[in-house]
Amino acid sequence: MNDPARAAANDIAVGRMLASEPQLVGIEPAVDVVPGMTPQTILTSGAPLEWSAYTGGQRRAVLFGAVYEGLARDIGEADRLIRDGKIHVRSTQDHSCIGSVAGIFTASMPVVIVEDAVHGHKAFCSLYEGPSRLKLNYGAYDDNVRDALNWLRDSLAPLLSAAIDISGPIPLKPLMARGLRMGDELHSRNTAATILFVREINKSLFELYAGGRKAEVLAAFDFLYENEYSFLRLGMAAAKVMADAAHCVDGSSLVTAMAISSQDFAIRVSGLGDTWFRGPHPALEGRFFDGFTDEDTEWIGGESCVTEVVGLGGFAQVCAPTLQAYQGGDFATMQRTNDEMYRICVREHDQFLLPPFGFRGAPTGIDIFKVLDTGITPAIDGGLAGKDGGQIGAGILRPPIDCFAKAAAAYEEMKSTP
């Protein structure tokens, strides 16, 4: 715990994370901008797995993604083509993408492009699917899901892309910082940030309205105001470029990624390259929506916990007391949970400030050795997926300590190797 070289490396890594300046620079089809994407590629959340390892809703989501993209007539054919190597299933993490729940990316799907104006790298995330409880990223597919995806691809994405062309790059960190001051924690609650984003592009949208795209603009306003999770996808991509800025610092023990698949929870550590350290799924402390119980829960992936990596979500939970109605619990517990996170982090954020804590900076920079020393694992705000392909609840996810212990052992072995 007192290694000065490691402390110095962590200071460099977290400094890079805090210095990152994510900007929304465009929205384009995945095949046109995502590194390594091909017409036959399907991306999905979590540390990389063999196709045979994907199960349940995550497996269904990949198969339905192939059907949606027109790569297969049905899920049976999709499975055969994947097993024959004609459709390629890859991890979002290997393609600079960040996935919500199952995190399905196919070639024609539009993605937001967020670029770090300081360090130059990019991250990509798909658009929010909309208000229906059943979604492709939850492992469901029907005519309504297909039509919603088509509308995102053919109407909303081109309109927002045109708006960004008019406005120019949109800095996201100021919107996120202000969202915290307005009651968001930028994972399970994005109400304020979505409103702030819409305000940011209002002028551009009105120019498009005046230019003859009236119906498209009105439909876009309806969608964005009805779906407050729309900003989450921007926030996830922003968090990824911030976290990636801290990656690959020699000697650093900071967590730079957390990801869930149908099989495991995994972390990546700055000074340990691209190795993933895997452990069991998190424990759930949540509230089920009416009509659902724990027996309906199914793990189908998810990488929105990247927000916690950079000091948001469960690390800024105290900013969003209204989450009590969504995920249960009480505000005193939220305060204690949030306060705990300072014990496993190396820095307080200089821009993500928490008003209920006297504008103290959010705890930022999870250190695997602080996790082991305290026995405290990250508190992750998240949704609970159901076996029927929809969301069935919400709550706090607490990963077991296993993957942090594995990473620490690998770190010690690396340090002891001449």
Side-chain angles (χ1 to χ4, degrees), residues 167-187:
S167 69
I170 299 173
L172 296 176
K173 193 188 288 187
L175 301 183
M176 299 164 81
R178 189 170 186 187
L180 293 176
R181 300 194 298 272
M182 295 172 64
D184 286 351
E185 41 71 83
L186 278 304
H187 188 168

Side-chain angles (χ1 to χ4, degrees), residues 73-311:
R73 291 185 297 271
D74 54 41
I75 60 173
E77 183 181 31
D79 184 54
R80 290 193 298 273
L81 291 172
I82 292 170
R83 287 187 281 110
D84 290 343
K86 295 179 180 178
I87 297 175
H88 312 293
V89 180
R90 301 286 185 264
S91 166
T92 52
Q93 297 289 330
D94 290 339
H95 293 265
S96 300
C97 292
I98 194 78
S100 178
V101 202
I104 302 301
F105 291 66
T106 65
S108 69
M109 287 182 180
V111 294
V112 300
I113 308 164
V114 174
E115 182 174 10
D116 185 343
V118 173
H119 304 105
H121 55 278
K122 296 177 181 178
F124 309 88
C125 191
S126 58
L127 296 178
Y128 181 63
E129 289 183 60
S132 172
R133 197 179 70 82
L134 299 182
K135 300 177 177 65
L136 178 62
N137 275 330
Y138 278 85
Y141 190 72
D142 58 17
D143 290 347
N144 291 329
V145 173
R146 181 202 62 217
D147 292 346
L149 292 170
N150 286 344
W151 182 78
L152 293 176
R153 182 192 65 201
D154 300 333
S155 182
L156 183 64
L159 183 77
L160 294 181
S161 178
I164 296 166
D165 287 342
I166 294 170
S167 69
I170 299 173
L172 296 176
K173 193 188 288 187
L175 301 183
M176 299 164 81
R178 189 170 186 187
L180 293 176
R181 300 194 298 272
M182 295 172 64
D184 286 351
E185 41 71 83
L186 278 304
H187 188 168
S188 284
R189 190 181 191 276
N190 288 268
T191 304
T194 299
I195 293 171
L196 291 170
F197 171 68
V198 174
R199 191 182 75 163
E200 196 73 18
I201 62 172
N202 263 346
K203 183 178 178 181
S204 298
L205 289 176
F206 284 135
E207 286 189 32
L208 294 169
Y209 180 97
R213 302 178 72 170
K214 177 178 178 179
E216 293 173 80
V217 171
L218 293 177
F221 276 128
D222 284 344
F223 181 87
L224 292 170
Y225 280 118
E226 184 180 1
N227 296 289
E228 60 192 45
Y229 274 104
S230 296
F231 188 86
L232 175 59
R233 306 307 177 87
L234 304 180
M236 288 169 59
K240 180 165 175 58
V241 298
M242 289 187 260
D244 285 353
H247 194 54
C248 286
V249 174
D250 288 344
S252 172
S253 56
L254 291 196
V255 173
T256 53
M258 299 193 293
I260 300 172
S261 71
S262 58
Q263 292 300 312
D264 53 36
F265 174 88
I267 64 171
R268 192 180 65 178
V269 176
S270 177
L272 296 175
D274 291 331
T275 301
W276 288 92
F277 300 93
R278 303 170 188 261
H281 285 129
L284 307 177
E285 302 169 7
R287 167 187 170 268
F288 290 97
F289 300 156
D290 291 345
F292 296 101
T293 69
D294 187 55
E295 294 182 356
D296 300 307
T297 302
E298 181 175 64
W299 290 103
I300 59 176
E303 297 170 343
S304 53
C305 47
V306 69
T307 52
E308 276 75 11
V309 173
V310 300

Side-chain angles (χ1 to χ4, degrees), residues 329-340:
D330 58 77
F331 189 53
T333 301
M334 294 171 74
Q335 290 176 298
R336 288 192 297 270
T337 299
N338 201 151
D339 190 55
E340 265 191 337

